[in-house]
Amino acid sequence: MKIADFNGKFQQSGGGTTAPVAGEKPSVPAGKTNTYKVEPPHSFKLKMAMAETRENLQIQREEGGEKVEDNRVKAQSEFTVADVTSALETYVATSREDTAVKIALTSHSPKVQGFVITLEVDNDFLLSKVTDIHPYLLSFLAKRLNNGFITLNVQVYMEPENGEEKRRLFTAKDKFDHFVQINPAVSELKALFGLEIE
């Protein structure tokens, strides 16, 4: 909307004038483009900010300020299966992990070979859950066992049976596949009656 002969000042009821309200754009004569740009309230200059940070860091160093601590454990202390089991129980007791992860970490005894710890879980679901917390668990074990050279492996538990490895059956599909291996007629019955596995 264009107001003819408006000079950018408002008249007050008492007879005085005031400037336009901040943030309003001044009127633009017809035929001209609006070149009004809103400037940011604060200007940020990266070079100046970096220079200030560098100066502050240099001042801290000169004053003997705090040094950045290296959180990595550099020791190579020996540990046993009992030590690892105790550390895992402490992790389970103090962490906020869900119950499935807590059970997965304590259901099987860990295997220790040198600085390599192998944890076994019952199924692929628990394997993915424990893999998600792998960095946190590794850091906790390194601090707790005072050994920064630990390697943590997680795998699905395989139960040895007659020289063969036997996988635990948890889901209905796993159980059905196991029955089909024992007796192929089960598969024929499923097809004959049109049954589905839940």
Side-chain angles (χ1 to χ4, degrees):
M1 181 167 149
K2 183 175 162 185
I3 302 174
D5 299 325
F6 179 68
N7 64 0
K9 295 185 179 180
F10 300 102
Q11 284 217 326
Q12 293 181 338
S13 59
T17 61
T18 59
V21 177
E24 287 188 9
K25 297 179 184 178
S27 62
V28 178
K32 293 188 178 180
T33 59
N34 187 357
T35 58
Y36 180 81
K37 292 183 181 177
V38 177
E39 292 189 24
H42 301 287
S43 177
F44 179 76
K45 300 195 187 233
L46 186 60
K47 287 183 181 179
M48 290 176 59
M50 293 296 286
E52 287 178 13
T53 304
R54 226 177 283 120
E55 289 172 8
N56 291 340
L57 205 67
Q58 197 171 26
I59 290 170
Q60 283 182 351
R61 286 182 186 154
E62 290 172 0
E63 294 176 355
E66 296 179 20
K67 294 182 180 178
V68 177
E69 291 184 26
D70 188 6
N71 291 334
R72 293 178 289 179
V73 178
K74 296 177 181 166
Q76 291 186 2
S77 301
E78 295 289 327
F79 52 87
T80 63
V81 174
D83 297 333
V84 175
T85 303
S86 173
L88 287 173
E89 288 172 356
T90 304
Y91 181 80
V92 166
T94 59
S95 73
R96 294 182 181 171
E97 300 298 332
D98 62 351
T99 307
V101 172
K102 291 180 178 183
I103 291 171
L105 293 176
T106 56
S107 62
H108 299 284
S109 180
K111 295 178 181 176
V112 176
Q113 294 176 337
F115 292 156
V116 178
I117 300 171
T118 304
L119 299 177
E120 295 177 321
V121 295
D122 290 324
N123 53 36
D124 293 329
F125 172 73
L126 293 176
L127 179 66
S128 68
K129 292 288 243 178
V130 173
T131 303
D132 290 344
I133 64 162
H134 185 275
Y136 307 109
L137 185 58
L138 180 61
S139 174
F140 180 84
L141 289 173
K143 290 176 186 173
R144 189 74 178 183
L145 300 172
N146 196 26
N147 189 325
F149 295 90
I150 292 175
T151 302
L152 181 62
N153 297 326
V154 184
Q155 65 187 25
V156 176
Y157 175 73
M158 300 295 223
E159 188 175 304
E161 182 181 288
N162 299 333
E164 298 177 8
E165 292 185 341
K166 180 183 171 190
R167 197 169 179 174
R168 288 190 176 187
L169 307 174
F170 288 100
T171 65
K173 182 172 179 2
D174 290 343
K175 291 176 184 176
F176 177 76
D177 292 341
H178 177 69
F179 287 132
V180 169
Q181 288 176 351
I182 294 172
N183 188 355
V186 173
S187 177
E188 294 172 15
L189 288 172
K190 177 187 174 230
L192 180 68
F193 292 112
L195 302 175
E196 295 183 13
I197 300 172
E198 293 179 4

